[in-house]
Structure formats: structure tokens, C-alpha cells
Amino acid sequence: MEAKAFCPAHITGFFKAHLEDSQNNLENLGSMGAGFSIKHGVTTKVKINTKNNQQSNFHITTKGYQSDKTDVSEYVLNEFLKLGEFSDTFFDIEHEILIPVGYGLGSSSAVALSLSYALDQALDTKLDKTRIGQIAHNAELNCKTGLGDVLASYHGGFEIRVKPGAPGIGSVEKILTDKITILMICFSPISTNKFIRERLSQINGMGGKMVKKLLESKNYEHFQDMSLEFAKYVDVMTPRMQKLVDELSQKNIKCGIALFGETVFTMISKEKENDVLEILHKYSDGSIIKSELDDQGARVLFN
């Protein structure tokens, strides 16, 4: 058996972390906040064969951008192995990652969620979709690679996470927009875990207020303003990012910051694409991504 699934990348503009639960249940942890999913992401293929003389029962390979860890994938696989007798089964797992890893684009959640969908399809476990999402969410929390990206990319689109937690527990409010283009430039990675650990009180104080404000306006330009304000408040702005933000501002182009990475994004109408690209191309040390909103969220791909 084999299966393939896709999960969009997700960019968070601001958030409030929820890291404590009286029942110590990973599915209740996560974050409130706001962000959007794009058509770039991670596609995962799973092939299942009979185990022969291999010492391990799985092999994980990566195409495209490389990740230096496989712990998220191994966590997801181990959760599925608990669902049946698979001692004689060999899992050949391939992640095709079309987004930079560690730049605030939710690559680990896209790996976890695409793998969870692909394993459910390949093993014919017929799990409820929310359970598929919960396994991926738990992998992210357990491996400390993210908080709310799984919930967001599970639903897709431009969203406000109004209740923290895994799919089926947390909830989002999706915001409809006119057709917009997403342009971003990625300069260098930032450790998500390090920032959350060191600046939690700062993050939560500002992030909670912003969720309430965006629920009132439901406006993507307002969202970008708040993302920029949040990034400055928690002190993630580098001189290079500030220089680019200033250049875009001079052209009346709003932008935000992907958390957590040295990544600047802008959500714009098609007419402004060339103006933005002209500015971004001045920065030869960054990787430019052009995409659109992905409203579908994570899903199985059928050939």
C-alpha cells in the first residue's frame, strides 16, 4: 500500500501561548493567535512493504529543503504503530519540503500533519480527521517544535485561532478575503523553542489583546500592522528586517513578520506584486517565496 498527503505551510503573525493544563493533556495545549496557510508546503509519501532483513522498521528521506531532525516524523509513526500489529511492516517515508525549515513557516507541523494523513490512508486505519490532526498536534508539542500551526494548517486559509488546542478541541474563525498574493523573503532561521521559553510573559500579554482586536476588524491589513507591532514588542526585529520594512512602508505596502524566523511577509493585491518584488530583489541574501492562500488545509492526495 502507498499513500500521499499534503499540508500547507502556515505563517503566524502573533499569538498567545497556552502551555499549562490541569490534566497534563497535550491536546489541550497550544496557542491562540492569527495567521494564514499558503499553497507551498510539505507533501509526504508513504509506502508500506513487508519487512525483510532491515534492522529498523522505517526509513525517512527528505527532498527539497532539509530538516536536521526526524523526531516529529518518528513520533507520528509510533502513534500509528500502536493502532495495530505492524511488526512485519516496513515504512518507507518521503517528505518533499518546499519551504525553508526554521524560518517561521510551520515546516514541522506540515511534516507531522501530512505524514499523519498519509499513514491513515496507507494503513487504512480510518481514523476520524480530528484524531489524525491530534496525533500531529501532539507530535509538535512533544517535540517542542510549535504550538498552533497544526490546528491552523488543518483548517487552512486566513484564520484566527480563538481557542487553543488540537483539532477537535481548539477552534478557529476563518476570515474571507479578496484574492490576494502572498510574498515573503526568508533571511535566516530562529529557534522557536528558545523564544517561547525566554519571552513567554511578553508574548502572552500582547498576543491575547491582539486576538480580540482582530476578531473585531477581521481585516488582513490590520493583521499585518499587528504582526509588525508584535514582532517589535517581543524584540525579534533585526536591522535587515527593519530596513526592508521601512522600504515597503515608503511605498505604502503593509507587511508582517513570520514567527519565529527572520522572515518578512506581505499580503497584497495583484496590482502591487511588481512593486514588492522590485524591493525584495535588492536583498540577494534572502529566499523569495510567492504564493497564495490555501483555503483547503491538509488533505490526502489522490493520483
Side-chain angles (χ1 to χ4, degrees):
M1 283 290 291
E2 60 181 85
K4 184 163 66 169
F6 171 78
C7 181
H10 178 261
I11 290 86
T12 291
F14 58 83
F15 69 98
K16 177 182 179 181
H18 288 258
L19 300 176
E20 294 182 4
D21 174 55
S22 59
Q23 300 173 348
N24 201 28
N25 187 342
L26 291 176
E27 288 157 24
N28 294 330
L29 306 180
S31 67
M32 297 169 65
F36 56 92
S37 297
I38 61 173
K39 290 187 181 294
H40 288 60
V42 176
T43 299
T44 297
K45 294 179 185 176
V46 173
K47 291 182 181 178
I48 298 176
N49 299 303
T50 302
K51 185 178 178 184
N52 295 318
N53 298 320
Q54 300 99 328
Q55 287 185 323
S56 173
N57 65 337
F58 68 90
H59 178 58
I60 299 172
T61 55
T62 304
K63 291 171 62 179
Y65 290 96
Q66 298 297 306
S67 174
D68 59 351
K69 294 181 180 179
T70 59
D71 52 343
V72 169
S73 299
E74 290 178 39
Y75 182 100
V76 171
L77 176 59
N78 285 330
E79 289 301 295
F80 274 89
L81 292 178
K82 295 174 185 176
L83 301 175
E85 177 47 58
F86 302 116
S87 58
D88 293 328
T89 305
F90 183 79
F91 296 85
D92 189 358
I93 296 167
E94 178 190 89
H95 298 298
E96 185 176 10
I97 304 176
L98 297 181
I99 46 171
V101 176
Y103 291 75
L105 307 186
S107 58
S108 57
S109 69
V111 162
L113 196 47
S114 59
L115 176 57
S116 198
Y117 269 94
L119 283 170
D120 178 68
Q121 184 73 13
L123 293 171
D124 199 28
T125 41
K126 293 184 171 62
L127 295 183
D128 185 272
K129 275 190 176 183
T130 55
R131 184 62 198 138
I132 293 170
Q134 285 166 5
I135 290 172
H137 173 88
N138 292 353
E140 273 246 279
L141 267 292
N142 183 77
C143 299
K144 297 181 171 58
T145 54
L147 293 174
D149 286 321
V150 167
L151 176 65
S153 54
Y154 174 88
H155 289 283
F158 173 32
E159 99 296 328
I160 307 173
R161 298 185 302 285
V162 294
K163 182 185 175 187
I169 295 169
S171 58
V172 308
E173 187 163 328
K174 291 178 80 166
I175 303 171
L176 298 177
T177 66
D178 296 328
K179 189 172 178 61
I180 55 174
T181 298
I182 311 293
L183 283 167
M184 62 184 73
I185 186 164
C186 306
F187 291 116
S188 64
I190 295 175
S191 168
T192 300
N193 189 30
K194 179 174 180 286
F195 259 95
I196 292 173
R197 189 173 64 248
E198 293 178 357
R199 304 185 183 180
L200 187 61
S201 59
Q202 271 184 295
I203 288 167
N204 283 355
M206 176 67 80
K209 294 174 186 174
M210 287 184 165
V211 168
K212 292 178 183 176
K213 286 181 182 178
L214 191 58
L215 279 168
E216 293 171 5
S217 71
K218 296 183 179 177
N219 179 281
Y220 73 88
E221 293 190 338
H222 188 204
F223 161 72
Q224 293 181 99
D225 287 339
M226 286 193 284
S227 172
L228 206 54
E229 183 185 352
F230 187 88
K232 290 175 180 176
Y233 181 76
V234 299
D235 195 25
V236 297
M237 294 288 287
T238 63
R240 179 167 47 182
M241 293 164 79
Q242 188 63 60
K243 183 174 183 288
L244 173 55
V245 167
D246 291 341
E247 279 198 69
L248 291 169
S249 180
Q250 286 165 15
K251 291 277 189 179
N252 294 316
I253 296 165
K254 292 185 181 294
C255 62
I257 307 301
L259 300 172
F260 283 105
E262 195 182 354
T263 297
V264 179
F265 69 81
T266 181
M267 307 168 78
I268 52 165
S269 59
K270 193 164 183 64
E271 306 85 72
K272 292 185 178 180
E273 275 184 33
N274 289 336
D275 290 339
V276 174
L277 287 170
E278 189 177 325
I279 294 171
L280 296 186
H281 283 304
K282 295 179 186 177
Y283 294 80
S284 58
D285 52 346
S287 298
I288 298 171
I289 295 174
K290 176 183 173 183
S291 194
E292 297 175 349
L293 288 177
D294 183 302
D295 282 316
Q296 290 181 261
R299 65 261 189 193
V300 172
L301 299 176
F302 298 98
N303 294 326

